[in-house]
């Protein structure tokens, strides 16, 4: 039996910080409104010459160092993004080239804020099937480029970042550590609730910015994340009290707290980093994980519950022993 071990974790946040007060200088908003509704204090913004692949490169190097491997040891790259550098080729093959990896394969996954969970679940299945041994999984986004900076209902919510895991297959008699189980879901009937136009097959579009029905997204995020976690724990035969840390997609503090409460999970078990970088879509879970590991909160052997919800709608969860 092959276990999928998390061998290394890395992250990258661009240097430039935009606080709530900074935004209130050019949009009719305030730190109080943003902080009370979302828990966000600031976000990081990529410099003009930084693309999604550049952020991914930095996070990948951090993860490679943490895993104590060489880039050449990686035989598959799965990169989750909804802000790719180009329509094609994938940002993953660009990263493969930047890392000077000449073998294996690389591809992008597009599941918006659930992208990292989709990528982890896919990578886990590739490792458990024996097809690949060492996989670099990256979530990388430059949302500052798809925000309408005049729309206060969306521009205050997002930021730029990248996070990465190195996963490795290890032979064991049973699944004792690493990814225990994962589940992903989607329901396309809700795709109009949160979207960004501008795809090349769309003949005309009014704008290429994020559009969102915030209240609907909020409601479905809590409902669907609660249900999928219950489903995952049930199928894995794990009690909620066995979870040491809850590492949710960092979109909004109120969504995290409400979901944890519905799951009867103690609030002190939630990893919260949304205050420092806002919603960074597919990058948010690895950034939260890397932060919590570096802070000494999450330790080897801890039982973790990762979960996300995003446009599509897409959602999913991963149970793992770190
Ligand atoms: O990965 C998923 C990504 N998306 C999310 O996580 C978003 C989920 N949704 C939410 O978090 C919340 O719906 C928001 C934080 C986006 C909004 O909170 P809300 O309590 O649903 O506010 P609202 O949209 O109902 O707006 C309330 C008021 C409105 O004014 P009126 O019509 O009552 O006069 C808005 O125009 O707040 C106003 N408003 C703002 N005021 C100051 C909206 N955005 C802002 C703002 N600053 N940035």
């Amino acid at each position: 039996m092959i276990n999928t071990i998390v061998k290394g974790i890395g992250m990258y946040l661009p240097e430039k910080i935009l606080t709530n007060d900074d935004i209130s200088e050019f949009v009719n908003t305030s730190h109080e409104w943003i902080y009370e509704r979302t828990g966000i204090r600031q976000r990081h913004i990529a410099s003009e010459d930084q693309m999604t692949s550049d952020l991914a490169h930095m996070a990948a190097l951090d993860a490679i160092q943490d895993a104590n491997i060489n880039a050449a040891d990686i035989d598959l790259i799965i990169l989750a993004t909804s802000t790719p550098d180009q329509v094609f080729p994938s940002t993953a093959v660009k990263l493969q080239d930047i890392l000077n990896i000449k073998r294996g394969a690389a591809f992008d996954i597009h599941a918006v804020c659930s992208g990292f969970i989709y990528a982890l679940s896919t990578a886990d299945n590739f490792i458990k099937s024996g097809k690949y041994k060492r996989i670099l999984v990256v979530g990388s986004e430059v949302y500052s480029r798809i925000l309408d900076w005049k729309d206060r209902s969306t521009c205050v919510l997002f930021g730029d970042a990248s996070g990465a895991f190195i996963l490795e297959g290890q032979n064991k008699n049973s699944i004792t550590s690493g990814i225990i189980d994962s589940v992903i879901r989607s329901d396309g009937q809700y795709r109009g609730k949160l979207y960004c136009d501008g795809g090349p097959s769309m003949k005309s579009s009014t704008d290429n910015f994020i559009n969102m029905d915030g209240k609907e997204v909020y409601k479905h995020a809590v409902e669907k994340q609660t249900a999928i976690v219950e489903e995952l724990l049930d199928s894995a035969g794990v009690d909620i009290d066995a979870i040491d840390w809850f590492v949710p997609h960092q979109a909004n503090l109120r969504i995290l707290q409400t979901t944890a409460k519905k799951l009867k999970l103690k609030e002190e078990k939630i990893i919260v980093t949304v205050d420092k970088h806002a919603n960074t879509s597919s990058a948010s879970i690895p950034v939260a994980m890397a932060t919590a590991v570096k802070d000494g909160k999450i330790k080897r052997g801890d039982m973790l519950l990762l979960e996300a919800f995003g446009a599509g709608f897409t959602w999913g969860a991963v149970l793992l022993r770190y």
Side-chain angles (χ1 to χ4, degrees):
M1 180 161 262
I2 304 173
N3 284 4
T4 304
I5 306 296
V6 180
K7 197 154 167 65
I9 304 181
M11 62 176 274
Y12 175 72
L13 290 165
E15 231 172 85
K16 183 180 170 189
I17 290 176
L18 198 64
T19 65
N20 294 344
D21 284 338
D22 293 336
I23 295 188
S24 66
E25 282 175 22
F26 57 85
V27 156
N28 182 16
T29 188
S30 65
H31 168 73
E32 290 68 30
W33 192 96
I34 301 169
Y35 187 67
E36 265 170 36
R37 305 270 172 142
T38 69
I40 296 166
R41 291 179 184 277
Q42 61 177 43
R43 67 285 297 138
H44 290 247
I45 305 291
S47 64
E48 264 177 37
D49 60 349
Q50 278 182 315
M51 290 193 277
T52 293
S53 59
D54 297 308
L55 274 55
H57 181 208
M58 300 303 282
L61 290 180
D62 197 29
I64 287 166
Q65 190 183 28
D66 189 47
N68 198 20
I69 61 161
N70 296 312
D73 299 331
I74 294 164
D75 48 16
L76 179 66
I77 298 174
I78 306 179
L79 190 146
T81 189
S82 40
T83 49
D85 287 10
Q86 293 166 282
V87 171
F88 68 83
S90 69
T91 307
V93 296
K94 194 166 170 185
L95 179 62
Q96 183 187 29
D97 182 40
I98 295 169
L99 292 171
N100 200 25
I101 300 172
K102 307 283 185 211
R103 65 191 188 95
F107 61 89
D108 284 2
I109 275 189
H110 190 348
V112 204
C113 295
S114 310
F116 197 78
I117 294 290
Y118 269 59
L120 268 188
S121 182
T122 306
D124 180 41
N125 281 298
F126 269 127
I127 285 180
K128 289 196 172 123
S129 73
K131 296 266 183 223
Y132 293 95
K133 170 122 174 92
R134 218 167 273 113
I135 304 184
L136 167 63
V137 181
V138 188
S140 193
E141 306 282 7
V142 182
Y143 263 48
S144 58
R145 309 257 159 84
I146 55 165
L147 289 171
D148 176 356
W149 287 100
K150 293 193 268 325
D151 176 9
R152 68 177 182 174
S153 70
T154 52
C155 78
V156 302
L157 301 174
F158 299 91
D160 304 336
S162 185
F165 281 12
I166 300 283
L167 301 179
E168 188 177 88
Q170 290 182 1
N171 288 311
K172 294 269 160 67
N173 292 331
S174 61
I175 298 186
T176 48
S177 57
I179 296 179
I180 293 162
D181 204 358
S182 67
V183 55
I184 55 170
R185 294 276 182 274
S186 67
D187 189 344
Q189 68 172 304
Y190 298 109
R191 67 194 186 282
K193 302 288 178 197
L194 177 52
Y195 64 93
C196 178
D197 282 344
S201 76
M202 190 171 245
K203 270 193 167 170
S204 63
S205 65
T206 48
D207 64 51
N208 301 338
F209 298 130
I210 292 178
N211 291 272
M212 178 172 68
D213 180 342
K215 281 202 193 307
E216 278 289 297
V217 173
Y218 191 107
K219 188 183 85 185
H220 283 279
V222 173
E223 269 175 21
K224 292 185 164 48
Q225 289 183 116
T226 308
I228 205 156
V229 166
E230 285 171 348
E231 182 188 330
L232 180 63
L233 292 180
D234 200 39
S235 82
V238 172
D239 193 87
I240 193 79
D241 291 333
I243 303 299
D244 296 304
W245 293 104
F246 179 43
V247 193
H249 166 49
Q250 307 283 317
N252 176 321
L253 183 60
R254 289 191 304 152
I255 294 180
L256 314 190
Q257 289 169 332
T258 312
T259 307
K261 200 169 168 190
K262 278 180 172 273
L263 289 167
K264 298 192 173 54
L265 195 76
K266 292 193 185 88
E267 206 175 317
E268 58 269 26
K269 289 186 173 183
I270 315 175
I271 298 296
V272 178
T273 57
V274 67
D275 54 318
K276 297 184 191 73
H277 52 69
N279 182 346
T280 60
S281 192
S282 70
S284 93
I285 289 178
V287 167
M289 272 281 293
T291 306
V293 169
K294 282 173 192 177
D295 287 352
K297 276 188 178 173
I298 294 178
K299 296 190 177 61
R300 285 285 173 192
D302 284 351
M303 184 72 101
L304 312 178
L305 180 60
L306 281 49
E307 51 102 69
F309 176 86
F313 292 141
T314 55
W315 64 103
V318 170
L319 184 67
L320 76 90
R321 191 173 287 287
Y322 177 54

